[in-house]
Amino acid sequence: MPLGAKRWVWLLAVIGTAEARAGSPLEDRVDAVVNARGFEGAHWGLLVSECPSGRVVFERNADRMFCPASVTKLYSSAAALADLGADHRFKTPVVRRGEVKDEILRGDLILVAKGDLSLGGRTGPDGNLLFEDNDHSYAGGNPDASLVPSDPLAGLTHLAREVQSAGIRAITGDILVDDRMFEHAPSTGSGPVKVAPIVVNDNVIDVLITPGARAGEPAKIRIVPETAFAAMDARVETTDSGPAAVEVRAVGPRRFAVRGRVPVGHKPVVKTYEVEEPAAFARTLFIETLRNRGVHVGASPLADNTPAHLPSKAEVAALPVVAEYTSPPLREYLKVILKVSQNLHASTLPLLVAAHHGETSLERGLRLEGEILARLGVDIRTISFGGGAGGSRSDLVTPRATVALLRAMSNRPDFAVFDAALPVLGRDGTLAKAVSPESPARGHARAKTGTFWVDNGLDGRPVLVSKALAGYMETASGRKLAFAFFLNDIPIDAIGGNVTEAGAAAGRRLGKLCEVFYADTAEANEAPANAEPARAGR
């Protein structure tokens, strides 16, 4: 048969496949999910492929760009993992400028920030990092936010103990934090907004509000960590009933007010105050920790951190090291970033990549990330990012590029690290409540979620710009899949409730899609084994 005739036979086979798919039971079940009441006007992008072969099971608008929201973190985490390595550890030193005589340092201590995203603050008894499904960083908009059961100052306590072990019992000079590892940048997600190479307690002060025993009593309020860094003005009333309503707002430099009400018997409410100066915050906490360990520090803990007083980077690197804190491996940080969608940490990843290559800017970090993703096999002409977390309007991806990334990661030696860091459907992280406890798909998908909304300035009503989910699944029949689901551009009031309720409703739609593909994919009409997959394109 002539080559041209063979080509026409192949094309007819593909066309026939596409037509069969359009009327298949699988297509009908997908339509029932995506066209549910309130979602009819949304823009959907879907791609489900066998993994690792890439054989397409289902697709819709797979080559259109969509806002990925926090699915962006799959890309930034994959690039950091490939570049830094799963076993990368942050080593944070303290150096001295001056001589020690008679246990007195006549000079300064300098804590040199090295990009550690936790500095011991989430470390559990086994050395692994802890997380809660509702991270404290988002306590401003999440009534279920909670704290991990660990000491947020564990890393600073370790450093203070080693300072003592170095024979230093008093310091006549200053305590400085050198945060020049990379340029400060804005976070591209909710939570703390300033990305810096020094992070203690996610650069927030947690405010815990516990109701009194009886209505009319003031609520009990404490802060974590306990510090004099910021002054708190608190007045929260205990009520008989009703919802808890507590607001924390800045009222001046290093000053914040806490106002509201909380009913009798309510669980402690977690709120946060974001510090404006991460280096100054770390300096205060370090001085307080040193003093608590019995080291006399003459410098005021409330003074500013003064970069002008620092020697050059080269001079700092040559100073004697008197203490060092070594972090858990990067694999643990990726678990926190992906499981609970930690925006501050994810926003730092491109800058950590930049620093690994001797660069200091977010622009260079993103260019390097693009080069890494291209080497992984992702077509970077079909993706765009403005940061590492997923809240930038520059963030755009296609379902096909996302599945390509997932398939590429599944073939790497460090895949187990990437896979283990993802939320598990119906079990933990941001997927804990995406399906019911009785869902047959529960526990059979591991994927990154995404949520992003904006306010419509014309009427004040929010628009759900993106609800997204991408990851891996094992079906009931044992097939391994990589998938990317994107739901974009739907008014919140179309699906009812406030932003939180609408986001949860959209998340359950994505959970329903997981159930559809978990239940049965074998009947999906597929192209011939040697042909390129047909593309539905709608």
Side-chain angles (χ1 to χ4, degrees), residues 335-419:
K335 180 177 66 176
V336 174
I337 289 170
L338 295 176
K339 289 280 190 184
V340 302
S341 206
Q342 226 294 343
N343 286 323
L344 178 65
H345 298 189
S347 292
T348 312
L349 291 177
L351 286 155
L352 293 176
V353 169
H356 189 227
H357 293 268
E359 303 283 355
T360 60
S361 71
L362 176 61
E363 178 184 7
R364 286 298 302 147
L366 289 172
R367 293 293 178 89
L368 288 163
E369 179 179 317
E371 294 172 11
I372 296 164
L373 293 172
R375 289 196 296 270
L376 288 173
V378 178
D379 184 354
I380 63 170
R381 296 170 300 177
T382 65
I383 59 176
S384 167
F385 294 119
S392 169
R393 288 313 302 253
S394 298
D395 299 340
L396 295 166
V397 304
T398 64
R400 199 171 306 281
T402 305
V403 168
L405 173 70
L406 291 165
R407 289 181 51 226
M409 295 305 294
S410 74
N411 290 321
R412 286 178 55 86
D414 52 13
F415 172 61
V417 172
F418 189 69
D419 189 47

Side-chain angles (χ1 to χ4, degrees), residues 95-116:
V95 300
R96 62 173 172 83
R97 178 170 58 173
E99 299 303 319
V100 178
K101 184 178 181 180
D102 299 327
E103 299 187 326
I104 300 173
L105 169 61
R106 290 175 169 81
D108 305 324
L109 274 187
I110 303 172
L111 190 161
V112 185
K114 292 294 185 179
D116 190 333

Side-chain angles (χ1 to χ4, degrees), residues 135-157:
D135 192 69
H136 75 134
S137 292
Y138 313 130
N142 186 348
D144 296 321
S146 54
L147 306 183
V148 297
S150 64
D151 178 7
L153 303 182
L156 293 178
T157 299

Side-chain angles (χ1 to χ4, degrees), residues 206-223:
D206 293 299
V207 183
L208 275 69
I209 305 104
T210 304
R214 291 178 295 277
E217 291 184 353
K220 300 173 183 177
I221 301 175
R222 68 183 182 95
I223 62 172

Side-chain angles (χ1 to χ4, degrees), residues 242-260:
V246 180
E247 178 188 27
V248 174
R249 60 185 179 87
V251 293
R254 301 192 193 184
R255 298 181 60 84
F256 65 95
V258 186
R259 296 288 187 272

